[in-house]
Amino acid sequence: EVQLVQSGGGLVQPGGSLRLSCAASGFSFGDYWMTWVRQAPGKGLEWVANIKPDGSAKYYLDSVKGRFTISRDNAKNSLSLQMNSLTVEDTAMYYCVRDQGCRGPNCFSYYQLWGQGTLVTVSS
Amino acid sequence: EIVLTQSPGTLSLSPGERATLSCRASQSVSSGYFAWYQQKPGQAPRLLIYDASSRATGIPDRFSGSGSGTDFTLTISRLEPEDFAVYYCHQYSYLRTFGQGTKVEIK
């Protein structure tokens, strides 16, 4: 079955760190750009970061640059998001998604395959 | 950044009725790089339409997308009970931005 299964997340204090993971199966993970999208409670969707198939290029939302790091291990079919210096504004459901139909060197694309989501709550 | 504005915020309709959802972009979305997603409570979004008018795999033909430039539309020809949800538009022409959502609720 083609799927993305997420883990990690939880409650963390402001300034803290958290690592999200995403396990891919049923497709050739190393052939795809991968992305993290988040959704604050009751709000819309927001692109966070993406990574090239070989991991050689990574792009970030301005507000998370320098704090979040996206990475992948193609041998283990896994995607990660290391989140440091978290603020209350980072509170959201985070989705691991597979890019589809990439346009341009930064891979502007739509999202066919989504993980189930993992909740990150930043609160004191 | 291309800002997407969806209207209306909420659409109250009955099963069997036609739903027309709009999304307006602050600048032209080149080559129709535009998508629509459906999201139900507690679930991840589901891709419905990509490239403005192409239906994603497994999506019923009562869903259709149209538009170009700055104005895009998602039409649900006859609402089924499972279609009541929140719908988001998404442009991937330059960077990636989403609309704020339109809730389709049962009247």
Side-chain angles (χ1 to χ4, degrees), chain A residues 2-4 22 24-37 50 72 79 95-102 107 109-115, chain B residues 37 47 57:
Chain A
V2 176
Q3 62 179 354
L4 298 170
C22 173
S25 59
F27 66 96
S28 184
F29 178 73
D31 289 344
Y32 289 88
W33 284 75
M34 296 295 296
T35 287
W36 289 96
V37 171
N50 72 342
R72 64 192 297 160
L79 178 74
Y95 293 100
C96 163
V97 299
R98 188 182 75 183
D99 287 81
Q100 200 80 31
C102 281
C107 186
S109 70
Y110 56 92
Y111 308 122
Q112 172 85 51
L113 183 63
W114 295 67
Chain B
Y37 301 85
L47 177 70
T57 304

Side-chain angles (χ1 to χ4, degrees), chain B residues 12-85:
Chain B
S12 298
L13 295 167
S14 301
E17 289 193 291
R18 182 184 188 88
T20 303
L21 288 67
S22 296
C23 185
R24 175 160 289 179
S26 60
Q27 53 189 281
S28 183
V29 175
S30 64
S31 303
Y33 294 148
F34 202 87
W36 291 91
Y37 301 85
Q38 176 194 68
Q39 187 176 35
K40 297 179 181 179
Q43 296 184 16
R46 178 173 73 141
L47 177 70
L48 299 174
I49 301 290
Y50 64 94
D51 292 351
S53 60
S54 296
R55 260 188 307 277
T57 304
I59 301 304
D61 60 7
R62 65 179 181 273
F63 291 92
S64 64
S66 63
S68 63
T70 60
D71 291 292
F72 295 85
T73 301
L74 174 70
T75 302
I76 310 171
S77 59
R78 286 178 55 85
L79 282 165
E80 296 288 340
E82 62 268 26
D83 298 337
F84 292 92

Side-chain angles (χ1 to χ4, degrees), chain A residues 41-101:
Chain A
K43 302 296 184 182
L45 301 163
E46 182 176 52
W47 174 87
V48 174
N50 72 342
I51 184 169
K52 199 173 179 180
D54 64 2
S56 63
K58 307 173 185 182
Y59 300 95
Y60 297 93
L61 180 68
D62 282 350
S63 63
V64 308
K65 275 181 190 174
R67 300 189 299 120
F68 289 14
T69 302
I70 188 172
S71 61
R72 64 192 297 160
D73 184 338
N74 288 344
K76 296 182 178 178
N77 293 335
S78 69
L79 178 74
S80 296
L81 186 67
Q82 177 66 41
M83 303 184 294
N84 299 331
S85 303
L86 285 160
T87 72
V88 294
E89 287 74 33
D90 296 317
T91 293
M93 182 71 77
Y94 284 74
Y95 293 100
C96 163
V97 299
R98 188 182 75 183
D99 287 81
Q100 200 80 31

